[in-house]
Amino acid sequence: MDHSRILRATNVVLLLTGYQMHWFEKKTQRFRLSLPGVVFIFVLGCIYAACFAQHFDSSSSLLKVLRDVSPFLFGLTRMQLLLGAKVLAYAVYCTVKSVGAVNSLVESLTSRDSGLKKDEVIAYVLLGSTFAILFGFVLYISFEMKFELPPLQDAMVGMALFLPHLILAGSMRLFIVLAWLSRGQLKQLKKNAEEELSAHLSKDEDNIASTSFTISTKSSSVESLENLKRKLEVLGTNFGCFTQSLQHSLIFLFALNGNCLLGGIYSLTYYWNTWHVIFEERKRRIFYAANASIYACIASDYVCLMWVLFTMEKERLNFIKCLDYFLAQRSSLAKKMRPLTKDIKSVLKRTFYFKFHSLIRFDLCYVVLMVSAQLLIISLVVIFHYLNDEILLLREELDSKNEE
């Protein structure tokens, strides 16, 4: 697996989506601020400002219809717009602030051979899965629209809502890819430790070497384990700093996702009951595809994040189990190597324990609980509004019957 290729591909994706203004230099293995990236972000900001202004244009027929059909959904749109503006400003600040932590983590990763391996293919899948799903939905909707462009004003209204989400999603792409590469580094360190300890056990048990050779082997083994311990500490510390630098971006993204899911589920619920009568068959298919794209893209992000967190935690636990196995070999493991092995185990337990603001642990359990809480709150809000509207409708019917 070639880290440079993966990081360059990630860099290109983040540049095109507007999340990053930096360019990855292959020779120095660092992200540096680039003039084309700054110009692109400036142009993108101007386009967003123009699209943002369309939401306050009183002549917009789309916003008028939305306000008349559902004031609550119009309010969600306004919330998404204002939250998106704040998020966009923060994303520009965050990409500059976090580049130091990103470079430090990249320095902790040792590049592998240049051949295309399974882990590298998975990294590309993790990087592009959501975009591939989004492209599929866009292609289908374009086909249903007979590849005709929507009115410019409506397109700009939609772009103002979509652009911040697309840009901020880059933070999750960056986290997922670097977490996957860190998992690979952790796996390599585990393999090195296992080989070192296994070789020492076999030499000690077979007693095929001379005393001087055994002493020199033990000395080199101790140095190798000390070097491995340092690498593990640096990897864990740098990944922790990288996670901390992206914590606000990920929290903002979860908030945007929650608002999108609320709007999507709310509109789908009311569409099934009342709104479908104002849609013709072709526009119904477009609505279903657009609505489904919200769930599919967000689900893809969450699944990729959960998968990476799961595999990283699994690799950490496997490393600890490996060390426990060798520590159990009391008669075979040298006294000098036992404390080092215990120290490596302690590093795995202490350093790879990531928290947001030192309060909430960021792991698979946390993400699952947060997503579940989001879905529960969204369901309660939709049920409340739907029942409230049904009660109001029933009251109107009863009042009209009493008047008759």
Side-chain angles (χ1 to χ4, degrees):
M1 180 170 64
D2 192 334
H3 290 174
S4 296
R5 275 201 305 256
I6 298 172
L7 291 170
R8 178 60 60 85
T10 305
N11 184 216
V12 171
V13 170
L14 296 182
L15 278 170
L16 292 177
T17 55
Y19 179 72
Q20 204 169 47
M21 297 183 291
H22 301 78
W23 181 249
F24 180 72
E25 296 179 353
K26 191 174 181 179
K27 290 183 178 179
T28 60
Q29 294 288 298
R30 293 180 68 83
F31 289 91
R32 296 188 182 277
L33 198 65
S34 64
L35 181 60
V38 173
V39 173
F40 179 71
I41 292 295
F42 176 75
V43 172
L44 202 62
C46 293
I47 294 173
Y48 174 73
C51 295
F52 184 89
Q54 289 298 316
H55 275 264
F56 300 94
D57 187 352
S58 57
S59 64
S60 175
S61 57
L62 177 62
L63 293 174
K64 285 181 180 178
V65 171
L66 184 60
R67 188 188 296 110
D68 295 337
V69 171
S70 175
F72 178 72
L73 193 58
F74 180 78
L76 288 180
T77 304
R78 276 287 190 265
M79 184 184 295
Q80 184 79 0
L81 179 71
L82 297 177
L83 186 60
K86 294 178 182 179
V87 159
L88 190 64
Y90 181 78
V92 176
Y93 164 75
C94 181
T95 186
V96 177
K97 179 185 175 184
S98 64
V99 69
V102 173
N103 285 332
S104 296
L105 180 58
V106 171
E107 289 175 1
S108 308
L109 306 174
T110 54
S111 186
R112 306 288 184 271
D113 58 320
S114 58
L116 187 65
K117 302 294 184 181
K118 176 184 173 183
D119 284 355
E120 186 173 346
V121 174
I122 294 175
Y124 294 136
V125 171
L126 293 171
L127 177 64
S129 57
T130 303
F131 298 111
I133 292 171
L134 181 62
F135 177 76
F137 277 104
V138 170
L139 193 62
Y140 174 76
I141 292 173
S142 301
F143 173 77
E144 289 292 346
M145 296 178 65
K146 301 178 181 178
F147 295 97
E148 295 178 358
L149 293 175
L152 180 60
Q153 191 178 37
D154 294 349
M156 292 177 73
V157 167
M159 185 62 70
L161 299 173
F162 175 72
L163 196 57
H165 206 145
L166 177 67
I167 292 173
L168 193 61
S171 63
M172 186 171 287
R173 296 293 106 191
L174 181 63
F175 178 85
I176 287 172
V177 170
L178 286 179
W180 180 254
L181 295 181
S182 300
R183 180 214 62 89
Q185 181 70 11
L186 191 61
K187 183 178 181 180
Q188 183 63 36
L189 291 175
K190 170 185 169 292
K191 182 180 178 183
N192 293 343
E194 190 173 10
E195 288 176 352
E196 195 66 45
L197 292 171
S198 297
H200 172 73
L201 287 179
S202 63
K203 287 172 185 174
D204 188 66
E205 288 172 356
D206 294 339
N207 293 320
I208 59 174
S210 64
T211 303
S212 61
F213 181 80
T214 302
I215 293 173
S216 64
T217 301
K218 288 181 180 179
S219 177
S220 63
S221 298
V222 169
E223 290 177 0
S224 298
L225 285 179
E226 286 179 345
N227 185 42
L228 189 146
K229 176 192 168 185
R230 285 193 295 269
K231 287 182 178 180
L232 194 61
E233 286 178 333
V234 170
L235 177 65
T237 301
N238 288 341
F239 188 81
C241 293
F242 165 69
T243 303
Q244 290 293 317
S245 70
L246 289 185
Q247 62 180 349
H248 291 107
S249 295
L250 295 175
I251 291 172
F252 277 138
L253 184 60
F254 275 107
L256 279 177
N257 285 345
N259 199 64
C260 285
L261 287 172
L262 178 55
I265 295 173
Y266 179 88
S267 59
L268 183 62
T269 302
Y270 278 80
Y271 175 84
W272 281 338
N273 291 277
T274 54
W275 297 349
H276 65 276
V277 296
I278 62 176
F279 287 82
E280 61 184 25
E281 187 62 32
R282 182 173 63 86
K283 290 185 177 179
R284 289 178 183 177
R285 291 195 296 270
I286 293 174
F287 173 83
Y288 278 127
N291 195 269
S293 67
I294 297 173
Y295 315 131
C297 291
I298 292 177
S300 174
D301 276 346
Y302 286 165
V303 168
C304 290
L305 178 62
M306 291 177 186
W307 165 254
V308 167
L309 292 174
F310 170 75
T311 53
M312 195 168 185
E313 179 64 12
K314 182 180 178 183
E315 201 61 51
R316 186 183 73 90
L317 293 176
N318 286 340
F319 201 158
I320 292 174
K321 288 180 181 178
C322 171
L323 296 176
D324 285 337
Y325 168 77
F326 286 105
L327 287 172
Q329 312 295 320
R330 295 182 178 276
S331 59
S332 303
L333 197 62
K335 291 182 179 180
K336 289 185 178 180
M337 299 185 72
R338 288 186 63 82
L340 270 176
T341 307
K342 289 180 179 179
D343 288 344
I344 294 172
K345 181 180 174 180
S346 176
V347 170
L348 285 168
K349 288 185 175 182
R350 183 186 69 255
T351 312
F352 290 86
Y353 190 86
F354 313 114
K355 283 188 174 184
F356 281 173
H357 298 293
S358 301
L359 296 174
I360 305 172
R361 184 172 181 182
F362 188 65
D363 56 10
L364 180 61
C365 243
Y366 164 78
V367 175
V368 171
L369 287 174
M370 190 162 62
V371 172
S372 301
Q374 269 190 345
L375 294 176
L376 178 61
I377 293 170
I378 289 169
S379 301
L380 291 175
V381 171
V382 172
I383 290 171
F384 170 78
H385 278 277
Y386 180 74
L387 292 178
N388 187 55
D389 289 348
E390 288 294 316
I391 291 171
L392 290 176
L393 183 60
L394 183 60
R395 283 180 179 176
E396 290 177 1
E397 291 179 357
L398 291 175
D399 290 341
S400 62
K401 287 181 180 180
N402 289 335
E403 289 176 0
E404 293 175 358

